[in-house]
Amino acid sequence: MTPLGQILAARIAATGPITLAEYMAECLLHPAHGYYATRDPLGASGDFITAPEISQMFGELIGLSLAQAWLDQGAPAPITLAELGPGRGTLMVDVLRATRGVPGFHAALRLHLVEASPTLRAAQAETLAGQAPTWHDSVDTLPEDAPLLLVANEFFDALPIRQFQRDGDGWRERHVGLDGTTLTLGLGPAAPRPELAARLEDTTDGDIVETCPAAAPITSAIAQRIATQGGAALIIDYGDWTSLGDTFQALRAHEPTDPFAAPGEADLTAHVDFAALAAAAAPARHSRVTPQGVFLERLGITPRARALAARGDADAIAAQHRRLTHPDEMGTLFKVLGLYPDGATPPPGLEP
Ligand code: SAH
């Protein structure tokens, strides 16, 4: 058992089972032993690889979409350019490089990063040296007095989820308990759950549904700023309109692993329920949930790939293009949701 596993086992022995959300939060963000708190998990030598780490084209096209949204809204200044969970800062570097030629954009922007991990904050400080970012622990302290352009790639999938198993017209919560000294999943007592009333329509006995308690307040905080000050947000993650079933997963060294085997040592994620984000988007507007491959093709990833291929390793660029857009790779599983103010058009690549 890992040190964090021992801490959690002692707590469960003393006070009883914990929710999956509590388990996930401790595993990812425990200050001494949490997964994100203690390492840089990205890249070939880490546990998983993300779109910006696959190709510069991803961040470039996101940058151009956000800059065009800014132009379409009259190029206000100053503006907040924000990212949630920036990882190594790679996406933001590509955003900034691609938008260098947009007149007035760089002069107008103030860079704000929401990042929980001290290790990754240090990596971001290095990658973005010269940009003088301001770091935040949560979206709540993002400026409220300027338009907000925001991107979040693979951020919402890291937020803690709860799971409920249907039992008649009630629900039993899945808990993390103890079997001897081993952490194990158990079920709480059946209880009515008014917040899951709509899920009685699309589930049957024994089905599992997931909720992500932090997702709606975060979306709402972003939407409030965009609705009152202007701007746009691009939220990119894997998931679907609504999630059904157990999507909780652990990755270690690019391989799926048991999420309870080594607490703090594996990346834990769950699919994002885009319907829940869309429901929290008022008073801002939200776009259609759009497959990543469609979004990137609309923004011109194919001509961009051709231009890069003409200058360098054409096979590598073709492989990157395929990974980001092909339905068998990230093209369909990953989705994009845009937020924008009433009266504006969605950021390019998305439809109302
Ligand atoms: N967007 C990056 C990294 C994705 S990994 C990329 O695409 O490569 C998830 C990121 O979210 C990491 O930077 C992680 O430290 C951060 N993160 C996870 N949970 C968080 C939370 N609750 N608050 C702030 N940051 C969080």
Side-chain angles (χ1 to χ4, degrees):
M1 186 78 88
T2 60
L4 181 59
Q6 285 166 11
I7 292 170
L8 294 176
R11 186 195 301 175
I12 292 166
T15 59
I18 58 176
T19 67
L20 206 51
E22 288 170 89
Y23 177 73
M24 209 171 152
E26 294 289 5
C27 287
L28 293 180
L29 297 175
H30 186 283
H33 307 295
Y35 180 74
Y36 281 115
T38 52
R39 74 199 70 207
D40 172 356
L42 290 147
S45 58
D47 293 307
F48 59 94
I49 188 156
T50 56
E53 302 293 336
I54 291 170
S55 171
Q56 67 185 78
M57 296 186 282
F58 185 77
E60 289 172 351
L61 294 170
I62 283 171
L64 294 176
S65 177
L66 290 176
Q68 187 62 49
W70 175 73
L71 290 170
D72 290 343
Q73 291 177 33
I79 51 156
T80 301
L81 177 63
E83 182 172 356
L84 310 186
R88 290 178 174 164
T90 308
L91 190 159
M92 189 50 77
V93 164
D94 294 334
V95 164
L96 292 170
R97 191 185 55 256
T99 54
R100 242 179 353 214
V102 180
F105 188 62
H106 280 211
L109 66 84
R110 313 281 179 268
L111 188 56
H112 290 261
L113 307 175
V114 177
E115 176 56 67
S117 155
T119 311
L120 289 174
R121 278 190 187 198
Q124 292 153 21
E126 208 167 293
T127 319
L128 294 162
Q131 302 296 332
T134 305
W135 278 273
H136 300 260
D137 292 329
S138 93
V139 291
D140 298 328
T141 52
L142 286 176
E144 292 182 83
D145 57 357
L148 173 65
L149 295 174
L150 180 140
V151 58
N153 185 59
E154 291 211 45
F155 171 79
F156 283 86
D157 68 32
L159 297 178
I161 56 147
R162 295 171 71 176
Q163 287 186 334
F164 300 91
Q165 187 168 42
R166 182 152 174 196
D167 183 340
D169 282 349
W171 301 89
R172 301 177 70 182
E173 180 154 17
R174 292 180 107 193
H175 284 136
V176 183
L178 273 182
D179 181 6
T181 55
T182 313
L183 295 175
T184 175
L185 260 184
L187 281 175
R193 291 266 166 198
E195 73 275 22
L196 294 176
R199 302 310 302 268
L200 293 175
E201 315 287 324
D202 69 346
T203 54
T204 56
D205 231 20
D207 278 350
I208 289 170
V209 301
E210 297 173 339
T211 64
C212 179
I218 291 172
T219 308
S220 173
I222 299 164
Q224 284 291 345
R225 285 163 175 79
I226 290 173
T228 48
Q229 296 286 343
L234 293 171
I235 296 169
I236 306 127
D237 229 306
Y238 55 118
D240 238 309
W241 181 246
T242 43
S243 78
L244 178 60
D246 176 8
T247 74
F248 185 51
Q249 68 165 31
L251 273 188
R252 206 172 171 184
H254 302 268
E255 294 293 334
T257 174
D258 173 1
F260 303 104
E265 300 282 324
D267 182 43
L268 302 180
T269 60
H271 283 201
V272 171
D273 182 352
F274 281 95
L277 304 191
R285 297 195 156 268
H286 69 84
S287 73
R288 287 192 208 182
V289 175
T290 305
Q292 174 173 302
V294 173
F295 172 74
L296 293 174
E297 289 297 353
R298 285 179 182 158
L299 292 172
I301 192 168
T302 297
R304 180 66 185 134
R306 280 206 197 99
L308 287 173
R311 285 197 249 139
D313 187 347
D315 288 345
I317 302 289
Q320 293 169 11
H321 177 258
R322 184 188 150 88
R323 269 190 90 176
L324 293 180
T325 61
H326 196 277
D328 292 342
E329 305 266 356
M330 301 174 82
T332 308
L333 176 60
F334 281 74
K335 309 288 192 308
V336 188
L337 180 74
L339 305 181
Y340 54 100
D342 205 13
T345 50
L350 300 175
E351 290 177 341

